[in-house]
Structure formats: C-alpha cells, structure tokens
C-alpha cells in the first residue's frame, strides 16, 4: 500500500493539576492514498485527540510526541508552527464534529470559504469567490451563488455540514480527516453526506480518515478499520475481514450491540462499564475491567498488537481463539 499518512508511536499527553492524562498512548496508524480508513471507538477513547494531533491543533497543556507523523513523505513533527499552518487546510483538511460551533456565526459562509482559499492558493479574490461557489455547488447546496452570502444560522444542520465539507475540499486536499461528520443528523441526511463523501473521493482521488463511534458508517464507507480503546489501538484490519471475524472482545462487543434486520433477538448485547479516565488507566489490558474473558494475565500485562492474518492485527492475549459473547 502506498502510504499517504503514517503515524508511528504517537503519544498525546496532558499534564494537569489532577495528574498526567494519557489521551493517546503510543499508536500506529497508516492511511493509503485514495483509501478510506475508519477510526472507531466509544467517546473518550482518544479518536478526536488523534486527529487533532495529526493536524497540529493540540493546545497547551497537551504535548504531542512520537517516532514520526509522516504525511506525503514529510515528518510533521519536525516542521515549525508556520509550516504546519501552511499545510493545514491545504493538502490536509479536516471536517470538525459540530458545524454550528466550527463556523463563525458573524461571517457569511462564502467569506469563510474564501478566507481558506486565499490563505492556501494564489487565486485573486474574484477567482476565490468563483471557486467557493463552485465548491458549494459540488456539495449540492441549491442556489449556491445566492447562498454564498448567507450566515450559518440560516442553514439547516445538513446544509452546514455540506458547507464544512466544501470548505475542507476547497484547496483540493490529498487527505481529508472527517471527525464524526454525521453527528446529530437524521438518517436520511446522514446517508446523503456519506454518499457525497464517497462521490467526492472518487472525483478528487483523496484519502479519508473518518472518525466515528458508528460501525454502520464504517461498514458503508471504509476500506480499513482501526478500533481504538482508552488511548490504544486494540484491533485493525480490512473492513471485510474485521467485520467477518472480529478477535478483540471490545470489537465483538461493539458489533454485538448493533441491531440487525436478519437476526431476531429480544435484547442487544451490551458492554458493561465505561471507558476508564485517561488519568486512571489499568495496569494490564485497558479493556480487562470490562472484558468477560479477562484473567489474571490480562489484568497484569498489556498485550502487544500482533498479526493474526493478512493486515489483521489485534492486541489480546486470547486471540486468535474464537470468542463469542454470552447471550
């Protein structure tokens, strides 16, 4: 696989009065050119912090360290703040979780898109305006030229999300990071947004890192999936292989909690407990306090992420033993 983004040994920690918070604690991640990678896990697992670390948007008291964050052959950890700023929004773009809080309420949507285009290209203001309208049309906003001068509050949630996508794509990035792009949208609009992202990916040939807690979204759009728990990657692999044969108990629990039309059952499976806080992580496997298969070894020694099949890796002492959740 021709890697566009390679993350090696990423650690993002926050030093606070309450102690050291290990939000991301030594993860490896690869996104190939033109491919879609899904990063999945519950809230609090470190998914969004991972994306912010890649983009260079982690603020104090956070610190980002690691062996490398290579984008298109360049190690981002060695770049200055100005170099990261020039890269961000150009060849690397991001769709943030909540469009209403990400868009500036006192500026029109057109002005906000034009600002990014002018910062990363040599287009004139008139050419930037034409590009912005073109991008609004590309994301299927009706009457794009008229909507150019609208303020964010005049648009629906789905339309604001389309504006965020237009802004992120306006400089033709090679990597798009989409952090919960369908949050708070109804299922019809969600399907439209996902279809739009896939269509734009085919047109522009960009890679996508999509972050979500919804495995249904991953099944719809991803080529590869990475499962994250408490700052660590617990399983990764091609989406078909992982969905067909999940090996980590956390992945099995996530898949078991999804309602299915072809299975008749009275209750869905659940994962007992909650994600541990980043300042009170277990000594061994971080999932062991919630795992129905955990033993003394799991509680004492963190399992390594190891290969169990073609591009399929899992961090579990029990794998590759076949595991099934109790009904």
């Amino acid at each position: 696989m021709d890697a566009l983004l390679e993350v090696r040994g990423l650690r993002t920690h926050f030093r606070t009065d309450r102690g050291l918070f290990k939000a991301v604690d030594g993860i490896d991640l690869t996104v190939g050119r033109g491919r879609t990678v899904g990063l999945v896990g519950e809230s609090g697992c470190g998914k969004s912090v991972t994306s912010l670390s890649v983009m260079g948007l982690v603020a104090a008291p956070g610190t980002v360290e690691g062996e490398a964050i290579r984008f298109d052959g360049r190690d981002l950890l060695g770049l200055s703040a100005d170099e990261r700023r020039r890269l961000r929004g150009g060849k690397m773009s991001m769709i943030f979780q909540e469009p209403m809080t990400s868009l500036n309420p006192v500026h029109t949507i057109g002005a906000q898109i034009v600002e990014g285009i002018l910062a990363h290209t040599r287009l004139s203001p008139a050419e930037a305006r034409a590009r912005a309208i073109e991008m609004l049309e590309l994301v299927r906003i009706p009457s794009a030229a008229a909507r150019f001068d609208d303020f964010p509050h005049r648009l629906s949630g789905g339309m604001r999300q389309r504006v965020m996508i237009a802004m992120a794509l306006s400089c033709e990035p090679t990597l798009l990071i989409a952090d919960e792009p369908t949050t708070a949208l109804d299922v019809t609009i969600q399907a439209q947004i996902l279809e739009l992202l896939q269509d734009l990916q085919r047109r522009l040939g960009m890679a996508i890192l999509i972050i979500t807690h919804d495995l249904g979204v991953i099944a719809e759009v991803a080529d590869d999936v990475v499962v994250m728990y408490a700052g660590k990657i617990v399983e990764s692999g091609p989406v078909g292989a992982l969905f067909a044969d999940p090996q980590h108990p956390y992945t099995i629990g996530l898949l078991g909690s999804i309602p299915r039309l072809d299975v008749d059952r009275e209750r869905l499976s659940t994962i007992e407990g909650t994600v541990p806080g980043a300042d009170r992580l277990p000594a061994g496997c971080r999932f062991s306090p919630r795992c129905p298969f955990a033993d003394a070894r799991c509680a004492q020694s963190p399992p390594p992420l190891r290969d169990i099949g073609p591009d399929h890796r899992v961090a579990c002492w029990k794998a590759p033993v076949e595991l099934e959740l109790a009904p």
Side-chain angles (χ1 to χ4, degrees):
M1 179 174 61
D2 185 10
L4 176 65
L5 175 69
E6 287 185 278
V7 177
R8 294 291 175 263
L10 177 64
R11 298 183 303 279
T12 304
H13 297 171
F14 295 84
R15 294 190 179 278
T16 72
D17 294 338
R18 292 174 51 191
L20 183 64
F21 285 69
K22 298 180 180 180
V24 179
D25 197 23
I27 69 166
D28 295 345
L29 182 67
T30 301
V31 181
R33 295 180 187 274
R35 293 182 69 83
T36 300
V37 175
L39 183 58
V40 67
E42 294 171 273
S43 297
C45 285
K47 306 184 304 297
S48 293
V49 176
T50 298
S51 67
L52 294 174
S53 302
V54 171
M55 293 294 292
L57 292 173
V58 174
T63 58
V64 179
E65 300 175 346
E67 296 173 23
I69 301 177
R70 280 188 289 271
F71 173 70
D72 203 14
R74 302 174 68 189
D75 189 355
L76 304 186
L77 293 177
L79 300 183
S80 67
D82 286 340
E83 289 173 320
R84 292 292 292 272
R85 192 178 300 112
R86 287 194 293 269
L87 188 63
R88 187 169 55 238
K91 292 302 180 182
M92 294 174 59
S93 286
M94 185 169 178
I95 303 171
F96 295 92
Q97 277 195 37
E98 178 46 60
M100 196 58 207
T101 57
S102 299
L103 292 170
N104 192 321
V106 301
H107 293 289
T108 64
I109 61 172
Q112 295 182 63
I113 298 174
V114 165
E115 181 182 15
I117 296 173
L118 293 176
H120 295 284
T121 70
R122 296 182 179 180
L123 298 181
S124 68
E127 291 170 329
R129 178 187 174 90
R131 167 76 70 85
I133 293 174
E134 179 185 350
M135 296 310 300
L136 291 174
E137 292 172 343
L138 187 64
V139 298
R140 303 173 194 167
I141 289 183
S143 305
R147 290 284 194 172
F148 181 90
D149 293 316
D150 278 352
F151 288 90
H153 71 271
R154 299 191 62 184
L155 303 179
S156 67
M159 287 294 109
R160 288 195 295 266
Q161 192 65 286
R162 290 171 189 266
V163 171
M164 290 296 298
I165 295 173
M167 187 182 301
L169 299 181
S170 60
C171 296
E172 300 182 351
T174 53
L175 173 66
L176 176 67
I177 299 176
D179 189 358
E180 301 279 7
T182 57
T183 295
L185 301 179
D186 65 56
V187 291
T188 302
I189 302 301
Q190 173 178 298
Q192 292 175 0
I193 294 296
L194 294 177
E195 180 184 358
L196 174 62
L197 286 175
Q198 289 178 295
D199 180 53
L200 293 173
Q201 182 181 35
R202 285 191 292 267
R203 292 192 196 186
L204 303 176
M206 63 185 176
I208 298 178
L209 175 61
I210 185 167
I211 298 167
T212 182
H213 62 273
D214 189 340
L215 281 167
V217 170
I218 297 298
E220 181 77 18
V221 302
D223 300 305
D224 307 290
V225 57
V226 176
V227 182
M228 196 168 182
Y229 183 80
K232 290 280 193 181
I233 291 175
V234 296
E235 189 166 4
S236 65
V239 67
L242 190 139
F243 273 63
D245 189 24
Q247 289 295 323
H248 198 281
Y250 182 58
T251 310
I252 296 172
L254 291 176
L255 290 169
S257 65
I258 299 175
R260 293 176 53 177
L261 295 176
D262 61 336
V263 176
D264 184 16
R265 52 185 174 183
E266 294 183 2
R267 292 180 63 87
L268 293 174
S269 298
T270 59
I271 304 175
E272 299 296 332
T274 59
V275 180
D279 60 335
R280 52 182 188 278
L281 297 170
C285 174
R286 295 181 179 180
F287 187 62
S288 60
R290 305 174 66 188
C291 181
F293 311 105
D295 56 22
R297 184 186 189 187
C298 300
Q300 295 170 4
S301 303
L305 192 64
R306 55 195 174 92
D307 295 323
I308 59 168
D311 299 319
H312 192 171
R313 310 180 75 197
V314 64
C316 179
W317 291 121
K318 306 290 184 177
V321 177
E322 184 176 355
L323 302 174
E324 293 182 358
L325 284 178

